[in-house]
Amino acid sequence: MRIIIEENYEDMSRTAASIVKDYVSNHPACVLGCATGTTPIGMYQGLVEAHREGKLDFSETRFFNLDEYCGLDPSNDQSYTYFMKEHLFDHINVRPEHIHLPDGMAGDIEAACRRYDAEIERSGGIDLQVVGIGINGHIGFNEPGDCFYPDTHKIALHESTIRANARFFSSIEDVPTEAITMGIRPILQSKMLLFLANGESKIDAVYGALRGPISPRLPASILQLHPNVVAVIDRSAAKRL
Ligand code: F6R
């Protein structure tokens, strides 16, 4: 694992964007695994800028997101589909058929999960996976629990996740309680994994992920088994490393 500690959020974002830029430039038809949340917003801004300057072409790149809330229509401004359009897809030359997110509105969620895994497999798997980390150590919405789930699945969001994500909604009651998340297998099988974290609230989660015992109690700790991780962390989140 390569760990890069940056001074602040802006530097973390710049470094992350340049890693993704290099990857996409060298592998234009790659499969990019995307995260949402506040952590990667600056990185996406860097990618949009590079595209606007004519330095980055996404016409062949395929995208798979880690997760989506259940029961939020894609037009809802808190859905992850909306987030991705707002921060990346509406500003780059991605082909609509190359955009994939779990279908949180599906009538048959189990079938939607199986379809998502089949689509990932048909695409040849994830090449570069970007992940953030929850304060409770989740990756995607693989929440702390008794075991790791390999496949895409529906999950009841942990109380701490609902509390953490309430900042995006008008009240905590509006936060969806369930989501669909990619499982651990495609994340671990990605060719390269870019792990991002910033801010003091992530200190313990980052320490547990990178230095703690590998345990489903802190799902991101499984990333220690990935052979090609680049972790870009700002100084405040890296304090215990
Ligand atoms: C979202 C996702 C989550 C977030 C995590 C951190 O797609 O995969 O695991 O990365 O909740 O969220 P932020 O960046 O908002 O602190």
Side-chain angles (χ1 to χ4, degrees):
M1 181 177 305
R2 194 172 143 222
I3 299 178
I4 302 170
I5 297 177
E6 294 290 5
E7 209 45 55
N8 52 39
Y9 180 76
E10 287 68 35
D11 291 349
M12 178 200 79
S13 302
R14 204 171 304 114
T15 299
S18 102
I19 290 170
V20 177
K21 264 187 272 178
D22 286 350
Y23 198 94
V24 173
S25 302
N26 291 326
H27 311 87
C30 69
V31 178
L32 216 52
C34 292
T36 58
T38 46
T39 310
I41 289 177
M43 179 196 78
Y44 290 136
Q45 269 163 10
L47 296 180
V48 169
E49 273 161 33
H51 173 71
R52 284 203 179 124
E53 289 164 6
K55 293 182 189 151
L56 202 51
D57 173 22
F58 290 100
S59 59
E60 300 301 321
T61 311
R62 289 159 294 160
F63 295 84
F64 281 87
N65 264 77
L66 282 168
D67 40 23
E68 177 59 284
Y69 288 119
C70 287
L72 281 196
D73 190 86
S75 63
N76 186 306
D77 63 5
Q78 291 310 326
S79 75
Y80 287 166
T81 308
Y82 191 100
F83 175 101
M84 288 306 295
K85 283 161 70 73
E86 187 183 15
H87 292 289
L88 186 67
F89 297 149
D90 280 354
H91 313 288
I92 60 171
N93 62 334
V94 57
R95 288 196 220 163
E97 66 271 25
H98 286 174
I99 295 174
H100 304 272
L101 283 99
D103 181 2
M105 294 297 286
D108 185 343
I109 293 283
E110 182 52 34
C113 291
R114 300 292 63 78
R115 261 199 317 275
Y116 203 59
D117 281 332
E119 279 168 14
I120 295 171
E121 208 159 299
R122 241 192 330 272
S123 76
I126 311 289
D127 291 310
L128 172 58
Q129 177 67 58
V130 178
V131 297
I133 183 168
I135 47 177
N136 65 7
H138 71 210
I139 36 170
F141 276 138
N142 290 275
E143 294 281 46
D146 296 331
C147 60
F148 292 107
Y149 287 94
D151 299 321
T152 298
H153 57 284
K154 181 165 103 167
I155 181 100
L157 295 176
H158 210 267
E159 193 207 318
S160 55
T161 300
I162 293 174
R163 254 187 284 118
N165 288 1
R167 67 192 195 276
F168 302 116
F169 293 82
S170 12
S171 81
I172 195 160
E173 285 76 35
D174 293 336
V175 185
T177 53
E178 292 178 330
I180 300 183
T181 183
M182 200 188 277
I184 293 296
R185 184 190 294 123
I187 298 174
L188 276 190
Q189 286 179 342
S190 59
K191 294 200 179 82
M192 180 178 174
L193 197 134
L194 178 57
F195 173 92
L196 304 178
N198 70 287
E200 295 215 348
S201 66
K202 302 287 174 71
I203 291 178
D204 292 335
V206 165
Y207 177 80
L210 306 190
R211 299 276 189 261
I214 297 172
S215 158
R217 301 266 157 224
L218 200 148
S221 60
I222 194 95
L223 301 182
Q224 293 173 43
L225 297 180
H226 192 291
N228 186 18
V229 177
V230 179
V232 187
I233 305 167
D234 83 342
R235 194 163 292 289
S236 45
K239 272 189 187 142
R240 279 186 71 194
L241 292 183

